[in-house]
Amino acid sequence: MNVEGADPVTAGQILNALGALGRSVFVAPQQRPDGPTDEEAPELLGGLLGVAELEAAVRVNPAAAPPASLPALQQGWQAQIQHTRLRRAVLVHRLQRTGYDIALLDETAGPEDEPPPALAAADCCAMAAAHLLLVEERSAQGDYKLWRQGLDDAEEFLRQALHGLATSRQRLDMWDPPGTDDPGNRDQ
C-alpha cells in the first residue's frame, strides 16, 4: 500500500533518534562522510521500531485488567497519524511485518523446514488481517478486481490458518487426549 502525504524523515534523523534513546549505531565516518544514506533508512527504522515496540511492551500490558496504559499508547499513536487512510496504511504494514516476524520465531527451522503449525497459523492470521484492511480500502475505491483478489487472498490465508490450528490440535490430542485431566499422562 502506497503512503502518500507523509513527510519521510531522513536517515540522519532516524540515527539521531536512536542516539537520543541511547541506542547508538556505528556509521563509519570514513565510509560515509555525509552520514547514513536513504538506502540505509529502512534498516535504521527497523532498529527504531524495535526500540519503540520493546518499550511499549515493557510499559503497556494489554492483559492487565483494566489495561490502564493501553488507551494512552493508542492516543499517542493516533496523534501522530491523524488521517484514516494513513492509519490504515500503517496498520497494513504493521500486520505484514508481524506476519514476517512470526515466521522468524522458529529459530530451529532451516529454510526448507515447515514452521510449527501454531506459528504458521498466527502468521496467516496477521496476513489475512492485512489483506482485509486492503479490501476495505479497495471496496471504498470501487476497484472490484483488486477487491475480489484481496478477498481471495484473505480467504486463502484464513484457510491456511485453520489448517495450522487443526494440525496443532491434532498434535496436542496425541500428547494429551481429550478428557484427560492429568498432565502427567503425556509420558505414558
Side-chain angles (χ1 to χ4, degrees), residues 83-128:
H83 300 289
T84 302
R85 188 171 191 289
L86 290 177
R87 283 185 191 161
R88 183 180 294 119
V90 170
L91 288 172
V92 167
H93 284 257
R94 185 194 304 166
L95 286 163
Q96 290 171 333
R97 280 194 331 271
T98 298
Y100 294 129
D101 288 343
I102 289 169
L104 297 175
L105 286 176
D106 186 14
E107 297 172 349
T108 62
E112 302 298 319
D113 295 334
E114 295 247 349
L119 279 183
D123 174 2
C124 288
C125 286
M127 297 304 284

Side-chain angles (χ1 to χ4, degrees), residues 41-186:
E43 185 175 351
L44 292 169
L45 276 172
L48 188 57
L49 273 169
V51 171
E53 288 177 349
L54 180 59
E55 191 64 27
V58 167
R59 292 183 180 266
V60 177
N61 180 3
S69 303
L70 189 58
L73 179 78
Q74 291 173 315
Q75 286 172 350
W77 184 83
Q78 290 175 359
Q80 294 299 314
I81 308 168
Q82 296 180 1
H83 300 289
T84 302
R85 188 171 191 289
L86 290 177
R87 283 185 191 161
R88 183 180 294 119
V90 170
L91 288 172
V92 167
H93 284 257
R94 185 194 304 166
L95 286 163
Q96 290 171 333
R97 280 194 331 271
T98 298
Y100 294 129
D101 288 343
I102 289 169
L104 297 175
L105 286 176
D106 186 14
E107 297 172 349
T108 62
E112 302 298 319
D113 295 334
E114 295 247 349
L119 279 183
D123 174 2
C124 288
C125 286
M127 297 304 284
H131 281 274
L132 288 169
L133 284 177
L134 288 171
V135 162
E136 174 62 27
E137 179 170 306
R138 291 167 179 166
S139 67
Q141 294 170 347
D143 190 335
Y144 301 117
K145 183 178 180 182
L146 288 177
W147 183 356
R148 185 175 310 283
Q149 182 63 50
L151 287 172
D152 291 346
D153 291 344
E155 187 174 24
E156 180 56 31
F157 277 119
L158 289 172
R159 247 189 238 107
Q160 291 175 26
L162 288 172
H163 175 74
L165 179 67
T167 302
S168 189
R169 183 166 302 282
Q170 288 171 347
R171 288 184 181 180
L172 170 65
D173 290 347
M174 285 178 16
W175 286 97
D176 186 31
T180 341
D181 292 334
D182 181 13
N185 272 348
R186 282 180 247 148

